[in-house]
């Protein structure tokens, strides 16, 4: 990895990822591709909790740690955190991975079902496969965007899905680093690009589409090493016609960096 020029699109943990790469001799180009914006409606949360007792949920699915914490913080502000805890005790609680697990355990919430690695929608659905959801109300904590695959699969089982938004993903306020990244790829100035979420892929191509150079971006990415955090991210890359050079196993940043260290012959 010594001297390799690597683009990093991660936002929340981007600086940490840059540090890991630079410690291994890489030259990191940081271009955050996502901004997390609050998207929580306290009045809606209040109505949801008030109606929950009359129309109980059979299942509650938590997908992210940040979204789970945001939901509880909204309940705190409403003075309804104890109500939320009591209501969760009346239904099955499913989690997508370790981050929502940690957030729920911090609130002493019982967890009934846990998706296995690599913590994708497929594993979430497998974890609830044994439940009859016909006519059942299912609460889904939304992450940065609606999980259309999860929603469609639950509705196909005739569940009544109620989605709770807590935050949404948007383009960063300053998109110039992403524009420079696209130009750098086109000019052969980079050796690799690291993608740690599907939304990063979509946002990067959205910037390229605004400049009418999507085909150039696709071609440029296919000339460098493209590293993906996991199967969901890889699926998004392939949907845009980008070849995935390596995929982390398990889908975490540490293993992804370790895989990169052996990606180039010495």
């Amino acid at each position: 990895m010594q001297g390799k020029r690597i683009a990093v699109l991660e936002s929340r943990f981007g600086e940490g990822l840059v540090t890991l790469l630079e410690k291994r001799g890489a030259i990191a180009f940081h271009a955050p591709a996502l901004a997390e914006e609050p998207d929580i409606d306290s009045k809606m949360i209040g109505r949801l909790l008030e109606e929950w007792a009359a129309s109980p949920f059979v299942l509650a699915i938590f997908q992210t740690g940040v979204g789970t914490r945001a939901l509880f913080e909204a309940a705190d502000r409403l003075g309804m955190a104890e109500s939320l805890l009591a209501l969760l005790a009346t239904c099955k609680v499913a989690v997508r991975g370790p981050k929502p697990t940690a957030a729920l355990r911090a609130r002493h919430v019982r967890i009934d079902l846990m998706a296995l690695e690599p913590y994708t929608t497929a594993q979430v659905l497998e974890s609830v496969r044994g439940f009859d959801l016909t006519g059942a109300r299912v609460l889904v904590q939304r992450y940065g965007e609606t999980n259309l695959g999860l929603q469609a699969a639950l509705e196909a089982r005739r569940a009544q899905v109620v989605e709770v938004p807590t935050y949404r993903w948007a383009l960063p306020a300053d998109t110039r680093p992403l524009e420079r990244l696209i130009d750098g790829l086109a000019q052969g100035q980079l050796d690799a690009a690291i993608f740690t979420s599907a939304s990063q892929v979509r946002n990067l191509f959205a910037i390229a589409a605004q400049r009418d150079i999507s085909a150039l971006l696709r071609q440029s990415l296919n000339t460098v090493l493209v590293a993906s955090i996991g199967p969901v991210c890889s699926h998004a890359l392939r949907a845009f016609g980008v070849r995935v050079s390596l995929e982390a196993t398990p889908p975490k940043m540490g293993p992804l960096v370790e895989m990169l260290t052996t990606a180039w012959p010495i």
Side-chain angles (χ1 to χ4, degrees):
M1 196 187 297
Q2 186 69 37
K4 295 299 181 182
R5 300 158 299 178
I6 303 176
V8 174
L9 288 91
E10 168 67 22
S11 300
R12 193 189 310 163
F13 303 110
E15 292 183 3
L17 182 52
V18 165
T19 299
L20 284 175
L21 294 171
E22 291 178 342
K23 284 182 177 179
R24 289 162 172 77
I27 301 168
F29 181 95
H30 191 200
L34 287 179
E36 286 182 6
E37 296 184 352
D39 186 21
I40 198 156
D41 183 338
S42 294
K43 290 183 179 179
M44 184 275 287
I45 298 296
R47 288 194 302 271
L48 174 74
L49 295 178
E50 289 171 357
E51 295 168 359
W52 192 327
S55 301
F57 289 98
V58 171
L59 175 68
I61 299 175
F62 292 87
Q63 301 191 85
T64 67
V66 64
T68 301
R69 288 191 295 274
L71 176 59
F72 272 94
E73 287 165 4
D76 287 335
R77 290 191 294 272
L78 292 165
M80 301 180 75
E82 290 303 317
S83 295
L84 176 56
L85 289 169
L87 291 166
L88 284 171
T90 67
C91 71
K92 296 295 183 181
V93 175
V95 292
R96 180 167 179 159
K99 292 179 181 178
T101 296
L104 288 170
R105 284 180 174 162
R107 294 282 185 156
H108 307 290
V109 175
R110 184 199 70 252
I111 296 171
D112 302 291
L113 307 159
M114 299 177 67
L116 301 176
E117 290 185 2
Y119 313 122
T120 70
T121 297
Q123 281 74 46
V124 174
L125 291 169
E126 178 62 24
S127 72
V128 302
R129 185 167 58 90
F131 287 88
D132 180 7
L133 297 178
T134 303
R137 280 173 35 100
V138 177
L139 182 74
V140 175
Q141 173 260 315
R142 191 178 79 187
Y143 52 97
E145 59 192 8
T146 297
N147 186 335
L148 296 175
L150 178 63
Q151 181 167 319
L154 293 171
E155 289 177 347
R157 294 174 58 183
R158 300 175 65 187
Q160 300 175 26
V161 179
V162 177
E163 189 181 55
V164 181
T166 50
Y167 67 97
R168 62 186 176 89
W169 288 321
L171 280 167
D174 183 4
T175 60
R176 287 173 295 180
L178 287 174
E179 294 170 13
R180 290 194 292 269
L181 167 58
I182 293 170
D183 293 338
L185 285 164
Q187 295 164 16
Q189 297 174 357
L190 293 164
D191 300 295
I194 297 177
F195 292 88
T196 52
S197 84
S199 292
Q200 292 170 7
V201 181
R202 290 189 282 270
N203 279 359
L204 184 63
F205 273 91
I207 294 295
Q210 291 173 5
R211 300 171 61 189
D212 198 26
I213 54 172
S214 298
L216 176 61
L217 174 59
R218 182 181 304 108
Q219 178 182 349
S220 301
L221 282 169
N222 282 328
T223 65
V224 302
L225 187 150
V226 174
S228 164
I229 192 69
V232 175
C233 184
S234 297
H235 178 76
L237 285 160
R238 295 185 182 110
F240 281 98
V242 178
R243 292 189 299 271
V244 177
S245 308
L246 58 88
E247 180 183 293
T249 304
K252 297 177 182 177
M253 287 190 194
L256 183 61
V257 172
E258 291 306 314
M259 292 179 75
L260 275 170
T261 61
T262 60
W264 290 279
I266 298 174

